[in-house]
Amino acid sequence: MILTRKKIWKLWSWQKKYLVEDGGVVAIDLAGAEALFPTENYEALFAKAREYQVPFTIHAGEAGNAEDVKTAVHMGAVRIGHGVRIAGNKEVIQLVKDKGEFFWKCVLQATARQNAVEEMSDYPLKAFLEMGLKVTLNTDDPAIERTTLSREFRYMESLLNLTQEQKRLLLLNSVEAAFTSRNRKWKLKEQLLF
């Protein structure tokens, strides 16, 4: 569905009205063909989200390039969907590291389909972890892509020989990146640590 600016403004007002810390509307997400519909086109909308204190994710650096990630960070995104194409771009890597941005990776479906890396063995998830970037592993559109989080983990484990500590870090990052309360995050971390 294509949304007009008028419809998007209405969505923002609903978002503000129904925004809760847990168990309801917790954030918004801009996803889609980032190379065809540049994030800059939505600056006014994200300014309104910042004004309303609505957290948001922007998909960037998968179909587009590292500059798209830079734009998403400057717009105020709390999380970046994908971000694969920052690999090798020291400036943007340092920016996201300094800002504490979270990246969520969906390796099997979205990244493979977008040809974000030439060889899947070059997928930068492990390298990003080793650089100290906050990376999570996700499913993106499980109903459409027919994947599960377990399947994503098994694939990355076999492809990159992830250690137990790296897998644990991916899970802990996921908890920290979640749009939820500190109390719920604490309970989730407690389950992971014991």
Side-chain angles (χ1 to χ4, degrees):
M1 173 173 75
I2 306 250
L3 295 175
T4 64
R5 286 196 183 272
K6 185 176 180 181
K7 288 179 183 176
I8 292 172
W9 285 116
K10 188 158 186 95
L11 285 174
W12 284 131
S13 65
W14 289 344
Q15 178 73 11
K16 182 181 177 186
K17 181 177 180 181
Y18 296 106
L19 186 68
V20 295
E21 197 172 37
D22 282 321
V25 176
V26 296
I28 57 172
D29 182 17
L30 176 66
E34 65 193 78
L36 297 175
F37 303 99
T39 303
E40 302 83 26
N41 295 353
Y42 303 95
E43 172 56 40
L45 300 173
F46 288 113
K48 186 60 74 174
R50 290 189 303 272
E51 177 188 329
Y52 288 170
Q53 297 181 331
V54 176
F56 54 90
T57 297
I58 295 177
H59 289 232
E62 181 193 30
N65 58 41
E67 288 300 310
D68 295 331
V69 172
K70 193 175 180 181
T71 299
V73 170
H74 290 309
M75 293 241 189
V78 178
R79 298 190 318 210
I80 306 294
H82 310 293
V84 177
R85 296 191 194 264
I86 70 165
N89 188 315
K90 291 179 182 178
E91 176 195 358
V92 179
I93 288 171
Q94 193 60 52
L95 173 68
V96 298
K97 195 171 182 178
D98 291 347
K99 293 281 189 177
E101 293 288 332
F102 285 93
F103 285 96
W104 54 266
K105 306 292 183 194
C106 309
V107 184
L108 279 173
Q109 43 90 19
T111 300
R113 188 180 64 235
Q114 295 289 345
N115 298 316
V117 293
E118 287 187 32
E119 296 290 329
M120 287 307 291
S121 58
D122 294 332
Y123 192 81
L125 182 132
K126 192 170 184 175
F128 285 176
L129 284 172
E130 290 168 353
M131 284 183 235
L133 297 180
K134 295 178 179 180
V135 180
T136 70
L137 197 54
N138 297 47
T139 56
D140 204 359
D141 297 315
I144 296 170
E145 302 297 339
R146 305 286 188 239
T147 191
T148 64
L149 189 55
S150 297
R151 187 169 171 234
E152 296 278 337
F153 263 91
R154 282 193 305 272
Y155 180 70
M156 291 312 295
E157 185 177 17
S158 67
L159 184 70
L160 301 177
N161 297 314
L162 293 175
T163 66
Q164 284 300 114
E165 183 57 31
Q166 288 167 329
K167 290 186 284 186
R168 184 174 161 274
L169 182 57
L170 286 166
L171 291 170
L172 288 172
N173 284 344
S174 296
V175 170
E176 198 54 43
F179 293 124
T180 192
S181 66
R182 296 299 320 157
N183 186 47
R184 183 168 285 178
K185 287 180 185 185
W186 181 81
K187 288 177 182 176
L188 290 168
K189 283 181 183 179
E190 191 175 55
Q191 290 175 357
L192 290 173
L193 294 173
F194 297 103

